[in-house]
């Protein structure tokens, strides 16, 4: 996976000071992480970008430290899978310093998280990021006063420019050498008393051996947080009477459920801090609001969205196909020369042409499409367009039983299914996650895009390629709505923060493109060359016949040449492989000379829909369980067969 | 339009308080009640959507789409179903922008 660089278990012998970045989604954690750790983690402008934690060792004042970037959380009450991850990490792992990154332009809300982090009784550094943004919104912050009020170091930063990042880590390092645990700000009298009384009860019932900070536990039990109740079931059983009584006390005295009392209390604490330390003046009128008038417009918004998508694919296709044509001609000449040189029947030629085909496939077919595609996707992500699309698509998604938030994994699926499946963690209900995982898997990823563009686009024209995309959307909609009917559930629907636009920085976009490209170059390409070699060997020893026999039922139904069978196995390893192996299996890069247009279309359709690739199966298993993975995979094969067959019938009429 | 509270009892719309789903563009409103389970209430609270909070509707949900509200300088999209469960009281007069 691209966005996790797991270093060896550093707990082994030496213990490096461990800093963790904690903050609300989109506060700029990944940006800061990348500034010091190099580009490991993918910074993006939408909630849920970081769904797993990323670790790295960094040098702070010539000392090695461990830095962990955790998924964004709004509070210590988990709502979705990603924030659950963060909460578990904070409660279970040894952390030396929590670096609480906040978006300074949203300080009042962010301080609520800060207050909860203090309850963890771990040293905290407050990082006021996006100071430029705050200034623009007319928020000026007296960070000295904030530092005095909270009793923790407060550092102002502008993550994208790297401003203040050195000071931030210097302060964190100093704090780790000299740990100070700040006092939690007090709540109003009655609530504070209730919290402290319960904490005292907890103290008694655990004999002071509690593994969690008592104040935190006391507050969370008062809130009735089921996660914490499950964490310490014995204690909760022991003193369930006092917990219930305390909850009742609170709700009777304040006329609201106890969790609402606590959260109102926390809010007023944060507001008080905010009002004492900040001054809000008139915001500068920004181009950002103006743009949103149009981009989120109920009618123009959709037109703009279609235009953006059209331009995006159009650019990728025209760039890709012009380069492909030009490169391909070169490789064909090469292979011809090779066969003239060695003789096309020798074993050596088989080996050599296998390798050359593998290399050619990577350079000529995959890279020309992949590079502009990934660059464009990174650009769209970084600007912050995706959550807007989620907003616009919410009502459409309701038609297929999902809601707007599920669009984000869907769009990411056009890049690669792996992060897309991982992004389904931003959804709350397991049912939504299952359906959108299936949707993500059916979405043609960039590997399948190269197949669509490289075969159908190249031989049958761009409009046919576009047709496949539209057909795909239709299939996704139908599949989604059938699944939604089969698994009815009342979900709360979309609740999504729409972050403000950011001017994309070329460096981040390039770094992200490279990070995803590297995946192809390091893993897929060698696999591709190897696969190509294996296939030419199999051909030499006539093994491919056996494989083709096994796949004969499928190829027969679809009306494809038997030789195509073996390519389907490779497609499960990596989707591009099925196309590249096609060249190898048919012994030519000019597929049109061997297959009819209809066959090409059917082959592409089948490859687009059948079976997720090996890497995707891996994450699917982790995210939705192996049984569901098997189910989803079988479903895709079924869909692929149906669509392939329809394609076959259709092509009789067209071609 | 049907209204549901967490008790799932359809109510007579004429006696009902306004909900966020009927909020108009640029209207400022006070949130008076949020119907919904513990998890949803907590999550909305975290985002600043809480009883007593003042919000501004930035974009009303067209065609059954979500409502976009501004609260504490941040923008939150709320699906129509959920918006139907958030009761509001419209505040007249121009509000000091989002403060
Ligand atoms: N204006 C401004 N933008 C920033 C700053 N820091 C980060 N960003 C942008 O904010 C967006 C979200 O950042 P990211 O690091 O992905 O946030 P995360 O979700 O907390 O990891 C990205 O588009 C960044 O380029 C900053 O100090 N000022």
């Amino acid at each position: 996976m691209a966005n996790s660089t797991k270093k060896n278990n550093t707990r082994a012998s030496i213990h490096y000071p461990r800093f963790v970045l904690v903050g609300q989604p989109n506060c700029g954690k990944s940006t800061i992480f990348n500034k010091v750790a190099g580009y490991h983690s993918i910074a993006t402008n939408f909630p849920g970008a970081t769904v797993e934690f990323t670790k790295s060792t960094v040098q702070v004042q010539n000392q090695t430290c461990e830095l962990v970037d955790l998924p964004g959380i709004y509070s210590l009450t988990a709502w979705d899978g990603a924030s659950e991850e963060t909460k578990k990490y904070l409660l279970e792992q040894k952390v030396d310093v929590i670096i609480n990154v906040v978006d300074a332009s949203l300080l009042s809300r962010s301080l609520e998280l800060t207050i909860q982090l203090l309850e963890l009784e771990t040293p905290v550094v407050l990082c006021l990021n996006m100071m430029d943004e705050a200034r623009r919104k007319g928020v000026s912050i007296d960070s000295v006063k904030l530092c005095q009020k909270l009793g923790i170091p407060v550092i102002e930063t502008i993550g994208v420019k790297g401003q203040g990042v050195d000071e931030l880590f210097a302060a964190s390092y100093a704090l780790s050498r000299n740990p100070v645990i700040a006092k939690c700000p007090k709540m109003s009298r009655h609530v504070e008393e209730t919290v402290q009384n319960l904490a005292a009860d907890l103290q008694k019932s655990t004999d002071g051996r509690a593994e969690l900070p008592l104040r935190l536990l006391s507050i969370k039990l008062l809130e009735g947080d089921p996660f914490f109740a499950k964490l310490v079931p014995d204690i909760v059983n022991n003193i369930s009477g006092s917990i219930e009584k305390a909850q009742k006390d609170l709700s009777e005295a304040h006329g609201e459920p106890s969790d609402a009392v606590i959260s109102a209390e926390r809010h007023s604490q944060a507001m008080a801090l905010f009002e004492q330390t900040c001054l809000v003046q008139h915001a500068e009128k920004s181009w950002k609001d103006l743009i949103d008038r149009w981009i989120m417009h109920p009618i123009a918004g959709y037109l703009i969205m279609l235009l953006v998508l059209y331009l995006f694919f159009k650019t990728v296709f025209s760039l890709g196909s012009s380069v492909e044509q030009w490169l391909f001609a070169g490789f064909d000449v090469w292979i011809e020369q090779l066969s003239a040189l060695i003789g096309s029947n020798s074993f050596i030629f088989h080996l050599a042409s296998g390798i050359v085909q593998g290399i050619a496939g990577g350079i000529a077919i995959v890279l020309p499409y992949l590079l502009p595609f990934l660059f464009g996707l990174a650009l769209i992500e970084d600007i912050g367009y995706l959550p807007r699309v989620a907003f616009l698509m919410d009502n459409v998604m309701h038609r297929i039983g999902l809601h707007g938030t599920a669009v984000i994994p869907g769009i990411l699926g056009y890049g690669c299914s792996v992060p897309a499946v991982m992004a389904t963690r931003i959804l709350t209900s397991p049912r939504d996650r299952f359906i959108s995982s299936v949707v993500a898997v059916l979405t043609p990823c960039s590997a399948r895009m190269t197949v669509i563009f490289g075969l159908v686009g190249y031989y049958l024209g761009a409009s046919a390629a576009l047709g496949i995309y539209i057909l795909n959307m239709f299939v996704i909609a139908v599949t989604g709505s059938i699944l939604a009917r089969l698994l009815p559930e009342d979900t709360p629907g979309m609740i999504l923060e729409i972050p403000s636009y950011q001017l994309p920085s070329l460096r981040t976009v390039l770094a992200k493109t490279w990070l995803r490209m590297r995946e192809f170059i390091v893993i897929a390409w060698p696999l591709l060359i190897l696969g190509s070699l294996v296939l030419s060997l199999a051909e030499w020893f006539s093994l491919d016949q056996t494989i083709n026999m096994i796949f004969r039922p499928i190829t027969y139904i679809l009306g494809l040449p038997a030789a195509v069978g073996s390519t389907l196995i490779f497609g499960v390893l990596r989707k591009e492989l099925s196309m590249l192996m096609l060249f190898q299996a048919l012994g030519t890069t000019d597929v049109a000379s061997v297959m009819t247009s209809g066959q090409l279309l059917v082959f592409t359709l089948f490859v687009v829909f059948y079976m997720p690739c090996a890497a995707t199966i891996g994450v699917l298993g982790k995210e939705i369980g192996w049984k569901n993975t098997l189910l989803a995979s079988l479903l895709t094969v079924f869909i692929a067969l149906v669509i392939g067959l329809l394609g076959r019938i259709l092509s009789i009429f067209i071609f | 339009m049907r209204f549901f509270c967490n008790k799932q009892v359809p109510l007579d719309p004429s006696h009902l308080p306004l909900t966020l789903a009927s909020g108009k563009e640029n209207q400022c409103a006070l949130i008076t009640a949020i119907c919904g389970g513990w998890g949803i209430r907590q999550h909305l609270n975290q985002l600043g959507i809480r009883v007593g909070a003042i919000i501004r509707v930035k974009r009303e949900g067209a065609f059954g789409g979500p409502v976009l509200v501004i609260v504490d300088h941040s923008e939150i999209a709320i699906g129509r179903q959920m918006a139907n469960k958030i009761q509001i009281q419209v505040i007249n007069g121009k509000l000091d922008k989002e403060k």
Side-chain angles (χ1 to χ4, degrees):
Chain A
M1 250 142 5
N3 60 350
S4 74
T5 50
K6 297 225 170 70
K7 292 277 151 72
N8 296 336
N9 201 344
T10 32
R11 224 190 292 175
S13 49
I14 327 156
H15 169 70
Y16 299 126
R18 181 187 280 163
F19 306 148
V20 297
L21 294 169
V22 183
Q24 303 194 334
N26 281 305
C27 61
K29 287 185 311 298
S30 308
T31 308
I32 290 179
F33 183 89
N34 288 339
K35 270 278 171 325
V36 288
Y39 285 87
H40 286 317
S41 137
I42 293 187
T44 9
N45 198 4
F46 60 84
T50 322
V51 286
E52 354 183 84
F53 56 88
T54 316
K55 262 201 234 182
S56 178
T57 46
V58 296
Q59 296 294 320
V60 179
Q61 298 176 341
N62 293 323
Q63 296 287 330
T64 308
C65 302
E66 197 183 318
L67 184 63
V68 184
D69 185 15
L70 294 176
I73 51 170
Y74 288 106
S75 85
L76 286 182
T77 303
W79 161 257
D80 52 29
S83 49
E84 184 108 11
E85 202 71 20
T86 303
K87 186 165 68 171
K88 278 206 196 112
Y89 192 98
L90 287 175
L91 293 174
E92 287 164 11
Q93 303 282 329
K94 177 163 174 9
V95 172
D96 290 286
V97 175
I98 294 175
I99 301 178
N100 176 206
V101 184
V102 305
D103 178 345
S105 67
L106 301 173
L107 190 63
S108 62
R109 189 183 80 191
S110 310
L111 282 172
E112 292 183 38
L113 176 61
T114 310
I115 291 169
Q116 293 189 54
L117 291 176
L118 291 177
E119 286 161 6
L120 285 167
E121 295 179 6
T122 304
V124 177
V125 173
L126 185 63
C127 164
L128 297 178
N129 193 34
M130 304 220 185
M131 286 303 288
D132 51 339
E133 197 58 27
R135 220 158 289 143
R136 200 186 55 72
K137 286 193 187 169
V139 184
S140 43
I141 304 171
D142 183 348
S143 56
V144 178
K145 200 161 169 197
L146 194 59
C147 163
Q148 289 163 350
K149 290 266 170 210
L150 284 167
I152 58 175
V154 177
I155 313 287
E156 298 181 4
T157 61
I158 299 177
V160 270
K161 297 194 188 133
Q163 218 166 300
V165 174
D166 289 340
E167 286 96 316
L168 176 69
F169 284 94
S172 309
Y173 184 68
L175 193 63
S176 74
R177 297 304 298 270
N178 212 342
V180 183
I181 292 168
K183 275 211 210 69
C184 304
K186 292 241 178 328
M187 301 188 169
S188 69
R189 221 179 87 221
H190 180 238
V191 183
E192 182 68 33
E193 268 168 18
T194 318
V195 168
Q196 286 190 3
N197 288 343
L198 189 61
D201 285 350
L202 285 167
Q203 166 91 7
K204 253 183 265 151
S205 87
T206 54
D207 295 329
R209 284 196 315 261
E211 285 173 9
L212 294 176
L214 291 174
R215 182 185 174 85
L216 174 74
L217 193 56
S218 160
I219 293 178
K220 288 294 161 194
L221 291 177
L222 280 174
E223 278 181 322
D225 188 329
F227 176 89
F228 283 85
K230 258 189 238 132
L231 220 53
V232 286
D234 305 343
I235 304 176
V236 173
N237 269 340
N238 276 345
I239 57 163
S240 61
S242 24
I243 297 174
E244 268 165 36
K245 188 179 160 296
Q247 282 178 346
K248 210 162 131 239
D249 263 9
L250 281 186
S251 60
E252 269 168 18
H254 300 263
E256 274 179 303
S258 58
D259 64 295
V261 177
I262 301 267
S263 103
E265 199 62 42
R266 203 179 282 129
H267 178 64
S268 61
Q269 279 179 306
M271 275 318 272
L273 266 172
F274 178 73
E275 274 161 15
Q276 286 161 355
T277 56
C278 296
L279 193 67
V280 183
Q281 282 147 333
H282 268 298
E284 293 167 29
K285 200 107 191 113
S286 156
W287 51 274
K288 296 177 179 175
D289 289 319
L290 212 70
I291 291 185
D292 261 345
R293 285 197 85 77
W294 292 106
I295 290 210
M296 294 170 98
H297 189 274
I299 294 160
Y302 294 95
L303 295 178
I304 292 174
M305 186 173 77
L306 289 177
L307 191 70
V308 167
L309 286 180
Y310 174 75
L311 285 180
F312 178 46
F313 280 102
K314 177 87 185 146
T315 316
V316 170
F317 180 73
S318 40
L319 271 178
S321 60
S322 58
V323 178
E324 176 181 356
Q325 229 159 6
W326 179 72
L327 281 174
F328 242 144
F331 276 106
D332 268 352
V333 173
W334 244 40
I335 293 182
E336 261 164 42
Q337 281 175 347
L338 207 68
S339 84
L341 205 69
I342 323 180
S344 60
N345 274 327
S346 69
F347 179 66
I348 307 271
F349 173 73
H350 260 272
L351 277 186
S353 78
I355 294 176
V356 172
Q357 301 261 19
I359 296 175
I363 295 187
I365 313 175
V366 181
L367 288 186
Y369 296 111
L370 200 59
L371 193 66
F373 179 84
L374 292 180
F375 182 82
L377 188 67
L379 199 67
I380 290 182
E381 280 179 20
D382 225 45
I383 292 173
Y385 189 51
L386 290 192
R388 268 94 189 162
V389 176
F391 177 85
L392 289 171
M393 292 296 285
D394 186 54
N395 49 4
V396 180
M397 294 298 279
H398 269 293
R399 295 267 147 80
I400 68 167
L402 286 171
H403 55 85
T405 319
V407 163
I408 291 178
I411 293 180
L412 289 181
Y414 284 102
C416 172
S417 310
V418 172
V421 169
M422 283 168 55
T424 58
R425 283 193 205 160
I426 58 172
L427 296 167
T428 334
S429 94
R431 173 252 194 200
D432 286 0
R433 284 170 60 182
F434 174 70
I435 300 180
S436 47
S437 296
V438 173
V439 167
V441 166
L442 284 177
T443 308
C445 61
S446 55
R448 283 172 271 179
M449 174 199 66
T450 60
V451 182
I452 297 174
F453 284 8
L455 285 180
V456 169
Y458 192 73
Y459 291 109
L460 308 181
S463 50
L466 188 67
I468 292 194
Y469 273 93
I470 294 171
L471 172 74
N472 174 268
M473 283 179 197
F474 179 72
V475 171
I476 287 176
V478 171
T479 313
S481 54
I482 292 176
L483 285 178
R485 297 270 138 74
L486 291 178
L487 308 163
E489 189 183 283
D490 192 22
T491 59
M494 174 159 85
I495 302 173
L496 184 70
E497 180 171 8
I498 310 282
S500 51
Y501 290 106
Q502 300 292 347
L503 277 180
S505 86
L506 191 63
R507 253 188 82 169
T508 326
V509 172
L510 284 179
K512 205 186 306 183
T513 312
W514 162 241
L515 212 61
R516 290 173 177 165
M517 279 297 287
R518 201 179 59 183
E519 178 98 332
F520 171 77
I521 294 173
V522 182
I523 301 171
W525 207 358
L527 208 65
L528 216 146
I529 297 172
L530 197 72
S532 186
L533 197 63
V534 169
L535 193 64
S536 58
L537 283 180
E539 251 167 34
W540 180 257
F541 294 111
S542 302
L543 274 177
D544 54 332
Q545 304 294 340
T546 325
I547 304 174
N548 290 341
M549 277 300 289
I550 299 174
F551 279 96
R552 192 58 196 147
I554 295 181
T555 47
Y556 182 75
I557 294 175
L558 298 177
L560 296 173
V564 165
S566 55
T567 65
L568 297 177
I569 291 196
F570 290 93
V572 178
L573 283 179
R574 293 279 309 186
K575 288 285 178 169
E576 308 97 328
L577 278 181
S578 53
M579 169 176 59
L580 302 171
M581 292 300 114
L582 185 68
F583 300 145
Q584 179 68 16
L586 301 176
T588 172
T589 46
D590 185 22
V591 182
S593 64
V594 196
M595 283 165 83
T596 65
S597 304
Q599 285 176 323
L600 269 175
L601 182 70
V602 172
F603 177 78
T604 309
L605 284 174
F606 187 76
V607 167
V608 166
F609 287 103
Y610 92 113
M611 281 302 263
C613 71
T616 311
I617 294 180
V619 274
L620 266 180
K622 245 176 42 197
E623 298 294 328
I624 62 173
W626 291 106
K627 214 180 102 208
N628 284 339
T629 306
L630 185 69
L631 220 67
S633 306
L634 289 179
L635 184 68
T636 60
V637 175
F638 174 73
I639 295 174
L641 277 174
V642 172
I643 299 294
L645 211 57
L646 286 179
R648 187 181 174 188
I649 296 168
L650 192 75
S651 60
I652 295 174
F653 293 104
I654 307 179
F655 302 113
Chain B
M1 197 187 302
R2 285 181 310 172
F3 288 90
F4 287 112
C5 201
N6 53 347
K7 290 193 191 103
Q8 297 278 318
V9 185
L11 300 166
D12 174 12
S14 59
H15 294 129
L16 269 178
L18 278 178
T19 67
L20 187 56
S22 59
K24 294 276 168 300
E25 220 147 287
N26 280 324
Q27 235 170 19
C28 285
L30 176 78
I31 297 181
T32 52
I34 298 176
C35 305
W38 187 87
I40 295 169
R41 250 185 346 195
Q42 287 278 327
H43 185 58
L44 286 171
N45 272 347
Q46 294 163 14
L47 292 164
I49 312 281
R50 61 177 77 243
V51 174
I54 292 173
I55 51 122
R56 188 156 67 87
V57 178
K58 182 165 170 188
R59 189 162 293 288
E60 56 190 77
F63 314 121
V67 185
L68 186 64
V69 303
I70 300 183
V71 55
D72 281 348
H73 294 275
S74 62
E75 292 176 17
I76 321 274
I78 300 176
R80 172 135 308 236
Q81 272 167 296
M82 194 59 231
N84 260 325
K85 296 182 186 171
I86 299 175
Q87 294 172 7
I88 57 168
Q89 191 183 330
V90 175
I91 301 171
N92 288 325
K94 226 175 132 89
L95 218 95
D96 188 18
K97 207 179 172 192
E98 295 149 37
K99 173 76 200 290

